[in-house]
Amino acid sequence: MSGARGSKALGAYALERLLNAVPLVLGVIVVNFLLVSLAPGDPVTALIGEYPAPPDYVERVRAQYGLDAALPERLLRYLGSVVRGDLGFSFANRQPVATLVIERLGRTLLLMLTTVVFATAVGIVLGVWAARRPHSAVDRGATGFALAGYSIPEFWLGQILILVFAVGLGWLPAGGFRSIRADYAGWAAVVDQVRHMVLPMLALSFRYMAITTRLTRASLLEVMNADYILASRARGLSERRVLWEHGLRAAALPIITVIGYNFGFIVAGSALVETVFGWPGVGRLMYDSIFTRDYPVLLGILLLVSVSVILVNLLTDVAYALFDPRVRY
Amino acid sequence: MSGRRGAAARGAHPGVPGGAGNRGVGEPEGVAARATDVPLGATPVLELRDVVTEIRGVRGLVRPVDGVSLTVRAGQVVGLVGESGSGKSMTAFSVMRLFPTKAARVTGGEILLRGGDGRVRDLRTLGPDALRAVRGREIGMIFQDPASYLNPVLTVGRQLEQQLQAHGLGQGADARIAELLTDVGLSPEVARRYAHELSGGQCQRVGIASALACRPALVVADEPTTALDVTIQAQVLRLLARLQRDQGVALLLITHDLGVVAEVCDHVYVMYAGRIVEEGPVEDLFARPRHPYTQGLLAGVLDLLEPKPIRVSIEGSVPDLVRPPSGCRFHPRCPHAMPICEREAPPLLPRDEGAALGHSACWLHDPGVVGAGVTVEPGREDGP
């Protein structure tokens, strides 16, 4: 086995993993499609409303949206259009699904990525703090915080944050993406945007912060007992370098894994948080599409989520290989 | 100073590679060929004086090192032997006050180290930063299981570089690392490798390179060959002995392998249940062991044709250190135990006329205790 591994091998590995994901994505589409069509309710009634409509009108609407065909035929038709890059047409919004989703995707990604970065950074710092002095007051505080963060649901936390910081203290806006009436430009617009983002991001971060804190603490405590930590101290390295260069470097692997694993949950959490905070993102769109039985939109979002989870997992594996020279691929 | 002059007068060649061939004429005929000829009067590099190390455990306070004194002189190879659980490894860890568990602490005695600048300092009273500066620079440490003592996610070169940087030797680190790896018989290319890409023997060579990286005055090696394959053991031991000689570094070698002691050590300390029971020049101590424990160990080795753990050759096992036996700790297993052994711990007495041939802690050798009634003369019994 050769010692030096080129980036070419890693690139080939990533490509192989990407190709393997194609049948997975197709399978996900089929399952999503079947699940959605099993759900109770009819998009046509949602569209027309409860008001009794003439049966021939109902049939016309049904035919217009291609809902009159048999399930297998509809599935094949849907698969065919997805392969061509067409995600369908929204019943409720009367817009192509792709346009609708992409418009909101940027806002959701903004929220999710800041959440991942913030939660991971704070979680690691808290975890390192706790692990440095096990069973100290700091450790107890961090562990208690982690337990609380793990058990509090996002939507409830979001409402409490709104009550305290928006309604009670009036420090931050209660919801929305930006101030609609104000005409901010340049720096002021950025500040306004950030002010709107703080509360939803906190609500979404709490849980992942807690998970990362616990995990960092646990894996660091284990790693710091390793023989090579003793050896690096015997070489005269300072405690700081032992901790950050040896300890955390080795403890990073489970943390990376969990970032990838959490990503799927952050997507789900963002639907709740976006709804609570009126954040016009994909999560909010998904919530609305469920209530309006807007199946093409729902399917499109589910597809997007599946693909992004698969991609993030792939990125995790690549990061794993970069971080740990022992990983074979 | 007189020690240094004495060394010169007796023809020691510090830093000059010496084989078995240039052994001093006046040296006593020993069991094994001595590689170095360091006189007893050479300057001490390390002196432990009544060192006590305690571990606070769930079952109470344990003293794996209970008043150990030993001296390692410049250029000397000193062996510290004992069974597992005798406290020899804890003695090794006590030198740098660096333990595998946070529960262990040096609580008594002095750890005198003569640094590169010739200043003698007590490591026991040094603050954390000063102690850190000693670790890896003035004292190099070699561990038992070489692979687990290298970080699996950092390259070998990076770990050596960190050590050089930690001691302000970061300038030209690459060249120094290449030189170090070459010295221990590895290709400089190994710097780019990870621990899992190396064999156990190669990992231990890296361990030796790290111990010698900052040109220390003393290397402490804790069972450096135990975890290796038998064929590799000899290679690594020979390498260690050669580098020790070439670089004139003092070596404290912790081992349970008496063959290793015979092959490379000048002086040996025998440890039992946290205390030194006998010490002396290797040839003399192996030829005429005075302490019943040492006699048992050596008899076990002489009888041993198939590898067998040492403790089997002596009745009973190492005592529980939470509740050590009263008096002489070896008395429950000693074939010559007398009433006084149970009551009082024996002092270290000269093994022979004058202290030049070491000391032994046994009441049998106290003329005040052993009167006309006792006829046992264990030192002569098993003589060669």
Side-chain angles (χ1 to χ4, degrees):
Chain A
M1 159 203 53
S2 84
R5 278 179 307 196
S7 54
K8 196 180 170 188
L10 191 61
Y13 166 69
L15 191 69
E16 188 195 319
R17 289 288 312 269
L18 211 54
L19 289 176
N20 284 343
V22 170
L24 188 62
V25 170
L26 286 177
V28 163
I29 293 173
V30 171
V31 170
N32 283 344
F33 191 91
L34 294 178
L35 271 179
V36 166
S37 48
L38 276 178
D42 184 346
V44 178
T45 35
L47 209 59
I48 299 170
E50 298 297 322
Y51 186 80
D56 61 319
Y57 176 68
V58 173
E59 279 314 306
R60 218 171 56 233
V61 174
R62 204 177 286 282
Q64 188 189 337
Y65 289 110
L67 292 167
D68 53 344
L71 191 64
E73 192 193 330
R74 278 194 284 146
L75 175 58
L76 284 177
R77 213 188 290 155
Y78 183 69
L79 275 175
S81 63
V82 168
V83 168
R84 288 194 307 274
D86 177 11
L87 292 179
F89 195 82
S90 162
F91 308 145
N93 296 279
R94 303 189 185 275
Q95 262 186 328
V97 171
T99 321
L100 207 57
V101 171
I102 285 166
E103 190 190 329
R104 285 161 175 77
L105 187 62
R107 297 173 199 150
T108 295
L109 281 180
L110 184 67
L111 187 61
M112 278 174 43
L113 291 181
T114 42
T115 296
V116 169
V117 171
F118 178 76
T120 306
V122 175
I124 288 176
V125 169
L126 282 180
V128 169
W129 246 16
R132 203 144 50 170
R133 293 187 167 274
H135 310 299
S136 66
V138 173
D139 181 29
R140 266 174 244 268
T143 318
F145 160 79
L147 187 65
Y150 200 76
S151 353
I152 296 175
E154 286 107 340
F155 61 88
W156 183 82
L157 181 66
Q159 287 169 331
I160 296 298
L161 287 175
I162 291 173
L163 277 177
V164 174
F165 294 100
V167 179
L169 297 168
W171 291 354
L172 292 162
F177 181 64
R178 61 166 72 99
S179 304
I180 301 168
R181 275 178 252 287
D183 195 16
Y184 291 122
W187 190 240
V190 174
V191 171
D192 180 56
Q193 178 83 76
V194 170
R195 276 168 50 81
H196 278 84
M197 231 170 67
V198 172
L199 290 185
M201 190 202 66
L202 278 181
L204 197 53
S205 296
F206 216 57
R207 190 190 176 93
Y208 307 105
M209 233 187 275
I211 295 174
T212 313
T213 302
R214 275 168 60 141
L215 191 78
T216 306
R217 177 184 180 274
S219 74
L220 202 55
L221 277 181
E222 193 188 315
V223 165
M224 292 305 276
N225 276 325
D227 291 341
Y228 57 81
I229 295 292
L230 185 71
S232 63
R233 288 190 179 126
R235 289 190 199 109
L237 265 62
S238 64
E239 240 354 80
R240 176 187 293 257
R241 294 187 75 179
V242 169
L243 184 73
W244 291 97
E245 288 182 39
H246 283 264
L248 207 59
R249 178 78 210 251
L253 298 172
I255 298 171
I256 292 172
T257 314
V258 158
I259 294 173
Y261 174 78
N262 278 342
F263 191 81
F265 292 98
I266 295 184
V267 173
S270 72
L272 296 172
V273 168
E274 285 180 10
T275 306
V276 171
F277 287 92
W279 186 269
V282 177
R284 179 68 195 274
L285 182 67
M286 178 159 83
Y287 179 85
D288 290 340
S289 68
I290 291 169
F291 275 85
T292 54
R293 306 282 188 280
D294 200 351
Y295 293 156
V297 173
L298 187 56
L299 282 173
I301 293 173
L302 289 177
L303 175 62
L304 187 77
V305 171
S306 315
V307 169
S308 57
V309 168
I310 289 170
L311 272 179
V312 168
N313 273 315
L314 172 65
L315 281 177
T316 309
D317 285 351
V318 171
Y320 220 99
L322 284 177
F323 257 81
D324 191 344
R326 290 165 298 181
V327 170
R328 300 246 194 287
Y329 42 80
Chain B
M1 280 325 285
S2 63
R4 291 211 156 202
R5 220 176 298 127
R10 286 175 64 170
H13 314 291
V16 176
N22 60 4
R23 195 147 52 90
V25 188
E27 274 189 65
E29 292 298 319
V31 189
R34 294 269 52 74
T36 50
D37 40 8
V38 177
L40 271 170
T43 326
V45 173
L46 175 75
E47 235 181 300
L48 302 187
R49 288 189 189 157
D50 291 320
V51 169
V52 176
T53 296
E54 293 177 336
I55 301 179
R56 208 166 283 279
V58 273
R59 290 172 56 227
L61 202 63
V62 185
R63 281 188 172 179
V65 182
D66 196 359
V68 165
S69 300
L70 63 79
T71 305
V72 183
R73 295 174 192 279
Q76 211 181 23
V77 183
V78 171
L80 179 60
V81 294
E83 300 164 314
S84 47
S86 62
K88 59 189 193 303
S89 285
M90 288 311 278
T91 306
F93 288 126
S94 301
V95 172
M96 289 209 274
R97 285 171 54 205
L98 183 67
F99 299 96
T101 161
K102 275 188 180 164
R105 222 157 53 86
V106 177
T107 56
E110 290 171 295
I111 305 161
L112 303 176
L113 179 80
R114 190 186 176 85
D117 53 2
R119 219 151 45 97
V120 176
R121 282 182 296 176
D122 184 358
L123 300 189
R124 173 141 140 68
T125 58
L126 281 193
D129 287 337
L131 198 58
R132 185 199 65 73
V134 168
R135 292 172 180 160
R137 166 109 208 207
E138 311 271 9
I139 305 175
M141 181 118 189
I142 302 172
F143 296 94
Q144 180 169 347
D145 183 7
S148 74
Y149 284 93
L150 288 172
N151 190 325
V153 299
L154 295 179
T155 61
V156 163
R158 177 71 193 126
Q159 294 181 66
L160 291 172
E161 191 188 1
Q162 285 179 337
Q163 180 180 2
L164 293 170
Q165 282 169 352
H167 299 294
L169 303 169
Q171 290 264 311
D174 287 347
R176 175 71 180 140
I177 290 166
E179 182 190 3
L180 281 166
L181 291 174
T182 313
D183 282 351
V184 296
L186 295 171
S187 145
E189 190 261 332
V190 167
R192 293 201 304 272
R193 301 287 189 95
Y194 295 94
H196 74 278
E197 297 172 322
L198 304 176
S199 69
Q202 287 173 319
C203 283
Q204 195 56 298
R205 284 168 192 264
V206 173
I208 294 171
S210 164
L212 294 170
C214 301
R215 302 192 169 86
L218 173 74
V219 169
V220 178
D222 181 21
E223 307 252 14
T225 56
T226 308
L228 303 174
D229 289 343
V230 182
T231 46
I232 309 296
Q233 281 186 3
Q235 281 179 21
V236 168
L237 195 65
R238 270 200 298 274
L239 172 76
L240 190 60
R242 181 174 61 77
L243 290 171
Q244 182 274 328
R245 243 177 9 242
D246 292 358
Q247 310 198 358
V249 60
L251 178 64
L252 177 59
L253 183 67
I254 285 80
T255 181
H256 64 254
D257 188 336
L258 293 169
V260 167
V261 173
E263 202 172 318
V264 297
C265 293
D266 302 302
H267 201 89
V268 62
Y269 286 81
V270 181
M271 202 164 169
Y272 183 81
R275 290 188 177 157
I276 301 291
V277 293
E278 188 163 14
E279 59 95 11
V282 171
E283 299 89 342
D284 194 66
L285 191 133
F286 274 34
R288 295 183 302 124
R290 299 277 278 166
H291 196 283
Y293 177 63
T294 319
Q295 289 168 357
L297 281 183
L298 287 169
V301 164
L302 294 176
D303 290 345
L304 223 54
L305 286 175
E306 76 241 35
K308 204 161 46 163
I310 286 170
R311 71 179 91 80
V312 180
S313 62
I314 296 178
E315 291 301 312
S317 63
V318 186
D320 182 356
L321 284 177
V322 179
R323 252 175 245 273
S326 61
C328 171
R329 292 185 174 181
F330 186 59
H331 86 260
R333 293 165 72 189
C334 184
H336 312 295
M338 300 176 289
I340 190 175
C341 303
E342 217 170 314
R343 291 195 309 271
E344 250 181 278
L348 275 167
L349 299 166
R351 278 163 41 81
D352 225 313
E353 305 304 313
L357 294 177
H359 298 78
S360 158
C362 182
W363 286 121
L364 285 174
H365 312 310
D366 188 329
V369 171
V370 185
V374 183
T375 51
V376 193
E377 263 294 351
R380 305 279 148 78
E381 216 172 47
D382 296 330

